[in-house]
Amino acid sequence: MFFKHKAEPEEIPHDIWGREPLALYEKIGRPIERSEKDLLRTFDGQRIQDYMVLFYKRKPDIRGVGGLLYIGEWINYGSKIYRVNTLISAEKLAVLISEELQLTGKDFLVSGTKLDPRMI
C-alpha cells in the first residue's frame, strides 16, 4: 500500500527579522495629523506632498530604515511601488532614499501623484 504524502503548505517568505511581507496597502511609518477641513494639509497649514516611489528592480523593505519611516506615511502598492505622504519635497525624498538605501537615481523614481493641469 502506497500512500501519498499530504502536500505541505508553502511557507510565506519572511525577511531577515522573521517578519512576513507587507500586505497590499499596508501603512508603515509616522502618521501625519491632517486638518479636518483639508486632508491635504496638516493642522498648522503645511502642505502634505503625495508621491509614488517606483523601484525598477525589487522594492526594498523599509521597515528597518528609521530615516525613511520618520519622514511620513509609506503605503505598500505592490512589488515595486510605495506611495508616500510626507512634508518634504520630491528632491529631498530622492536624496534621502539614495542615502538611506545606498541606491543611485537610476534604481528608483520619485513621482508626484497629482495630474499636471496642462495635461487635461
Side-chain angles (χ1 to χ4, degrees):
M1 305 271 196
F2 296 99
F3 296 99
K4 291 185 178 180
H5 291 285
K6 185 176 180 181
E8 296 290 327
E10 286 189 36
E11 286 190 30
I12 297 173
H14 292 75
D15 65 5
I16 61 173
W17 295 283
R19 297 179 297 205
E20 293 182 2
L22 290 170
L24 193 59
Y25 306 122
E26 182 176 348
K27 287 185 182 181
I28 56 175
R30 184 175 60 100
I32 298 175
E33 297 293 327
R34 299 172 187 271
S35 168
E36 293 177 7
K37 294 179 182 177
D38 184 1
L39 296 177
L40 297 176
R41 296 203 178 268
T42 62
F43 283 116
D44 58 352
Q46 289 182 304
R47 178 100 172 120
I48 299 172
Q49 305 297 328
D50 190 18
Y51 302 114
M52 293 293 210
V53 180
L54 167 70
F55 293 91
Y56 294 121
K57 294 185 181 176
R58 188 181 59 83
K59 178 177 72 175
D61 188 350
I62 63 162
R63 288 181 283 187
V65 185
L68 294 178
L69 295 176
Y70 181 74
I71 60 143
E73 299 171 345
W74 292 74
I75 305 166
N76 180 28
Y77 262 56
S79 63
K80 292 187 176 188
I81 299 176
Y82 284 112
R83 185 172 189 164
V84 184
N85 291 317
T86 183
L87 302 177
I88 66 174
S89 69
E91 294 79 20
K92 288 181 182 178
L93 179 60
V95 168
L96 187 62
I97 291 170
S98 292
E99 290 173 355
E100 293 286 336
L101 299 175
Q102 289 82 40
L103 297 174
T104 66
K106 295 179 181 179
D107 297 326
F108 67 95
L109 170 71
V110 177
S111 174
T113 59
K114 302 281 187 254
L115 183 61
D116 189 331
R118 296 174 291 178
M119 304 295 279
I120 299 176

